[in-house]
Amino acid sequence: MTHPNPLEQVPLERLRERTSIKWRHFGPDVLPMWVAEMDVVPAEAIQDAVARALRDGDTGYGHGVAYAEAHARFSADRWGFAPDPAASVTVADVMMGVFELLRMLTDAGDEVVVTSPVYPPFHGFTRHAGRVVREAPLTADARLDVDAIDAALAAATAGGRRSVLLLASPHNPTGTVHTRAELEAVAAVAARHGASVVVDEIHAPLTLPGAVFTPYLSVDPRGFAVTSASKAWNLAGIRSATILAGTDAAATLREIPEVVTHGPNHLAVIAHTAAYDQGRDWLDAVVAGLAANHALVRDLLVGSGVEHRIPDATYLAWLDLSATALADPDARADGGAVADTSAPSVALHRAGLGVNAGEPFGAGGENHVRVNVGTSEAVLREGVARLRAAVDAA
């Protein structure tokens, strides 16, 4: 049975009743299409699992590897690769997992290589861990630049220092799905320099039709992956995550401090486990809706001067406004330290559209904005109309 499109189930007036940051950060005249939260209601299987736990009083501390086992089943069915649940640790969320891995795999003052423009917390959490960000920018067509990564890791490991290559796969904000060949090349480069690889795979279930996602651990037994059901099933408010280690890294993962496992929310683990096992039809309907939405954005932006490359994954549209009158000739990205504002994003906010500025994503983010298309067609059309109006008025 075909599942109805979850993106078309919640009207705008009900969305505006929500109290999450997406709907409270801006004023009521602004249409928010920014932070990673879709305009959906969670799958019924997730609602039922959480309600059952509340009714039964199953609201204590978590235990075991049920989360990793559910993810392994999902990964095996979708991507033909099942990571070992025994080589896993459940943590509070993806970025806390990344944070703990950076602390374990590097020393204070060591460098972490990121492929900018990339998710701003990669910059922020690296600095919070007392490490230094080194950028290896993507190519002009938003793909991994293996030569740039090679050079960055060579510099980061000079003198025997430790380093980590921190990847987003699929990439955030571009939505690029890295090929198996690209990941194999990255793994070889990292091994040659003695660097560790940590991969955020949180957007993987949102891979769009026509693209093929490759789990990083299927190509690199030395690597680490951190993942969660929170993005694909819209569970950011009840989040948890799991760290997965490759076969050659399992012993290293066992060294992670035991206190790190105290953070996971037991209800979140129950919700995410239900998502992986019983929320697949719902997910498929969302992915189909997102594919249609990206195509609609492309069509609505024709002739606007705004460049939109349909991504391989995610509900994120990475829009290039460089050729529009909103562009700031003095824009620069300084590794995510700038405020989350830019000339284009400020202009769009004033026009009633809330977006993410591109500069905090690092090099390559200048004069870009990130727009969340995980919404209804009506909201999407209104949002693009506001964007085009701002461009035309500039």
Side-chain angles (χ1 to χ4, degrees):
M1 183 176 68
T2 302
H3 195 291
N5 184 355
L7 298 168
E8 297 293 342
Q9 304 304 306
V10 191
L12 182 57
E13 59 268 22
R14 281 182 51 202
L15 291 170
R16 289 203 177 276
E17 295 173 356
R18 294 184 173 182
T19 59
S20 62
I21 188 173
K22 179 177 183 179
W23 292 96
R24 288 292 181 263
H25 180 72
F26 298 108
D29 295 332
V30 174
L31 189 63
M33 297 179 68
W34 62 302
V35 72
E37 173 188 332
M38 291 188 287
D39 296 340
V40 297
V41 172
E44 288 187 8
I46 297 172
Q47 298 179 48
D48 291 345
V50 173
R52 187 182 312 114
L54 290 171
R55 286 196 305 268
D56 294 346
D58 190 8
T59 54
Y61 298 104
H63 175 72
V65 293
Y67 193 156
E69 289 173 344
H71 172 264
R73 289 189 290 270
F74 181 85
S75 181
D77 290 345
R78 293 289 167 118
W79 307 312
F81 172 76
D84 182 5
S88 72
V89 173
T90 305
V91 291
D93 61 34
V94 163
M95 285 313 302
M96 288 308 302
V98 168
F99 177 80
E100 293 297 341
L101 286 173
L102 294 183
R103 284 164 50 90
M104 185 174 68
L105 299 171
T106 61
D107 301 306
D110 283 346
E111 294 185 349
V112 174
V113 174
V114 302
T115 54
S116 297
V118 74
Y119 185 47
F122 278 20
H123 299 271
F125 274 79
T126 295
R127 295 189 177 99
H128 181 54
R131 277 60 175 168
V132 177
V133 174
R134 179 179 286 273
E135 294 181 303
L138 299 175
T139 65
D141 57 350
R143 305 219 66 89
L144 296 176
D145 187 331
V146 178
D147 289 338
I149 292 170
D150 190 2
L153 287 175
T157 57
R161 293 178 298 165
R162 298 201 293 171
S163 182
V164 163
L165 171 63
L166 180 56
L167 289 180
S169 178
H171 195 78
N172 176 0
T174 65
T176 298
V177 169
H178 312 309
T179 67
R180 176 173 291 273
E182 288 171 330
L183 294 176
E184 288 174 344
V186 163
V189 166
R192 187 165 67 251
H193 293 293
S196 300
V197 180
V198 174
V199 185
D200 169 1
E201 295 183 342
I202 197 169
H203 286 282
L206 293 170
T207 299
L208 300 174
V212 178
F213 173 74
T214 300
Y216 185 74
L217 299 187
S218 70
V219 304
D220 184 5
R222 299 176 58 255
F224 299 86
V226 193
T227 194
S228 171
S230 66
K231 289 292 186 289
W233 283 273
N234 212 50
L235 300 171
I238 45 174
R239 63 189 177 208
S240 187
T242 185
I243 303 175
L244 303 163
T247 53
D248 294 349
T252 300
L253 184 61
R254 287 194 289 271
E255 298 174 6
I256 202 162
E258 188 267 342
V259 293
V260 174
T261 66
H262 294 182
N265 180 312
H266 183 46
L267 282 179
V269 170
I270 290 171
H272 293 207
T273 299
Y276 282 127
D277 283 339
Q278 287 104 40
R280 300 184 187 185
D281 289 344
W282 183 95
L283 173 68
D284 291 341
V286 165
V287 169
L290 293 176
N293 281 1
H294 279 296
L296 178 61
V297 170
R298 175 200 59 201
D299 294 343
L300 293 175
L301 287 174
V302 170
S304 67
V306 179
E307 180 182 339
H308 167 48
R309 179 190 292 113
I310 292 182
D312 301 321
T314 82
Y315 44 75
L316 305 172
W318 183 237
L319 304 184
D320 184 354
L321 284 78
S322 301
T324 74
L326 295 182
D328 179 1
D330 298 320
R332 64 185 179 86
D334 62 357
V338 298
D340 194 11
T341 57
S342 67
S345 65
V346 168
L348 292 177
H349 296 168
R350 290 172 178 166
L353 181 63
V355 299
N356 287 102
E359 280 75 8
F361 292 80
E366 304 88 343
N367 289 315
H368 285 70
V369 295
R370 195 187 73 174
V371 178
N372 184 340
V373 306
T375 188
S376 67
E377 179 180 337
V379 170
L380 195 59
R381 286 183 179 276
E382 175 62 23
V384 176
R386 295 185 186 198
L387 188 155
R388 291 198 64 141
V391 171
D392 293 343

